Amino acid sequence: RFAEALETARAATAAEPDNATAWADAGYALAGLGRMDEAADAYERALRLDPENTVARRNLEALRGR
């Protein structure tokens, strides 16, 4: 399930590299696969693109244990 979600998110980020939601989705899929450093990078990119993205912010904070 997470591998398929990552494929979808990667396709979305490739097609629309400025799509913060796609980067947040990639972060979620990466976290689900246990790839926490990559997940954090994806969430951070989402937040650079859209600082108001509450999903990315909440998930990044959860990854960092806050």
Side-chain angles (χ1 to χ4, degrees), residues 20 42-54 56-57 60:
Y43 289 138
E44 288 170 355
R45 181 143 181 192
L47 289 169
R48 280 195 302 275
L49 293 167
D50 177 11
E52 303 300 315
N53 188 312
T54 57
R57 182 166 311 284
L60 181 59

Side-chain angles (χ1 to χ4, degrees), residues 2-43:
F2 287 114
E4 291 174 17
L6 180 57
E7 283 183 37
T8 301
R10 291 283 193 219
T13 60
E16 297 181 63
D18 293 334
N19 183 330
T21 300
W23 284 104
D25 290 347
Y28 182 78
L30 287 160
L33 293 168
R35 295 162 58 179
M36 302 309 185
D37 289 341
E38 292 172 87
D41 290 344
Y43 289 138

